[in-house]
Amino acid sequence: MPNIVTKVKILALRTIDIILPPKCVLTGQRVDKIGTISHGYWQNISFIDEPYCDICSVPFDFHLDLTGDPTICGNCLSTPPTFDKLRTAIIYDENSKSMVLAFKYADKLVLKNIFSNWIIRAGNDLLNDSDIIAPVPLHRKRLWQRRYNQSAILAKEVAKNFTNLKYCPQLLKRIKTTPPQRGLSKQERINNVKNTIKVKEKYLNDISGKNICIVDDVYTSGATINECAKILKKAGAKNIYALTLARVVL
Ligand SMILES: [Zn+2]
């Protein structure tokens, strides 16, 4: 039963909606609720659904194994990643790019609710099997420039829905600034992030034998998430899962 404060809040929000009808933050079109996106934008987003690689979540055109057993892609077979499993909500492409970048750079943080719901839909099993959830870290210099870490906002929002998860925003820290990964080859990306991330000392005793879920906005080559997984495993963590809002599919 909503209390009087909740009733007043609901009434206030309805009044605001009448005076200032909610608009899609991406297209400016009218929507039903603040923080949602218009149908016109939504219909061009490619959600990742099965069948996909059981490790890296790259989508397949059809089920490779007719028995329905989990299947692994050629890349994961030839070069197994350091993380155990990744799940991702949507494909990062020309249709979703502006939405992802608006959240990352342009303060469209109202999208956190819808994005976290998509991430939960994609990674519910991994989240239920995790003990700790943490974002891919930003170096403090870059955090100061950007004012927020979009991955931390997503991780925090997701964590609210799972009582088994401890949200640990500072589990990992960047000890060096690195040039942006954009435009680099896969090997250059790996070299670029090598030895740039550490587990914060005060958490070293908390992670032994734990399953840890790392959250990022976009999965590209996997270099950063693999580096996070490498140092967490070295520090004694059991399984490392990764959840991203979007992933590049080549
Ligand atoms: Zn794979």
Side-chain angles (χ1 to χ4, degrees):
M1 193 77 171
N3 62 29
I4 186 74
V5 177
T6 312
K7 280 180 183 168
V8 169
K9 275 186 186 168
I10 292 169
L11 190 63
L13 286 171
R14 281 186 189 151
T15 311
I16 290 168
D17 282 355
I18 292 165
I19 302 166
L20 296 169
K23 287 183 177 176
C24 169
V25 292
L26 302 162
T27 64
Q29 290 171 315
R30 286 272 298 272
V31 287
D32 293 337
K33 232 172 118 186
I34 292 171
T36 53
I37 56 178
S38 61
H39 178 70
Y41 196 95
W42 176 291
Q43 67 180 358
N44 291 317
I45 296 171
S46 299
F47 287 85
I48 296 182
D49 285 304
E50 289 191 48
Y52 50 66
C53 169
D54 191 46
I55 294 180
C56 76
S57 205
V58 70
F60 298 141
D61 291 335
F62 49 85
H63 278 281
L64 300 180
D65 186 318
L66 296 177
T67 62
D69 285 343
T71 317
I72 294 166
C73 75
N75 278 341
C76 289
L77 279 173
S78 62
T79 317
T82 314
F83 60 80
D84 292 272
K85 285 188 182 191
L86 166 99
R87 292 293 177 264
T88 185
I90 61 171
I91 293 178
Y92 185 76
D93 57 16
E94 284 308 312
N95 295 323
S96 61
K97 194 175 173 181
S98 58
M99 176 179 71
V100 176
L101 296 181
F103 183 70
K104 186 171 186 169
Y105 297 113
D107 292 340
K108 303 294 186 195
L109 301 181
V110 71
L111 292 166
K112 67 182 180 182
N113 296 323
I114 195 166
F115 286 175
S116 59
N117 284 336
W118 292 351
I119 290 172
I120 291 169
R121 174 181 177 271
N124 196 44
D125 292 351
L126 303 189
L127 289 160
N128 279 315
D129 193 40
S130 297
D131 305 292
I132 295 170
I133 184 167
V136 165
L138 275 185
H139 189 271
R140 57 188 158 78
K141 194 173 155 195
R142 195 157 288 167
L143 185 62
W144 185 80
Q145 287 165 340
R146 289 219 210 127
R147 293 178 293 113
Y148 61 92
N149 176 353
Q150 74 285 355
S151 303
I153 288 171
L154 291 175
K156 186 177 182 183
E157 207 57 30
V158 168
K160 287 178 186 169
N161 296 275
F162 293 83
T163 51
N164 56 305
L165 287 178
K166 182 181 173 193
Y167 171 57
C168 209
Q170 297 188 336
L171 178 69
L172 299 169
K173 67 173 179 181
R174 296 245 187 193
I175 51 173
K176 276 185 218 166
T177 49
T178 50
Q181 299 278 66
R182 206 177 314 120
L184 301 182
S185 70
K186 188 172 180 182
Q187 191 55 50
E188 286 169 335
R189 284 169 180 256
I190 293 170
N191 296 340
N192 197 31
V193 295
K194 198 172 180 184
N195 302 327
T196 62
I197 297 171
K198 266 182 79 175
V199 178
K200 205 163 184 176
E201 291 76 10
K202 73 174 191 176
Y203 295 113
L204 279 170
N205 292 331
D206 299 340
I207 60 176
S208 180
K210 295 285 188 344
N211 291 345
I212 300 176
C213 194
I214 302 296
V215 177
D216 205 358
D217 55 345
V218 181
Y219 178 89
T220 310
S221 68
T224 309
I225 286 178
N226 271 312
E227 184 68 16
C228 294
K230 187 181 86 183
I231 58 131
L232 285 166
K233 287 204 168 180
K234 212 169 156 187
K238 190 177 168 196
N239 292 312
I240 304 301
Y241 301 132
L243 285 181
T244 66
L245 168 64
R247 72 157 289 156
V248 170
V249 174
L250 299 172

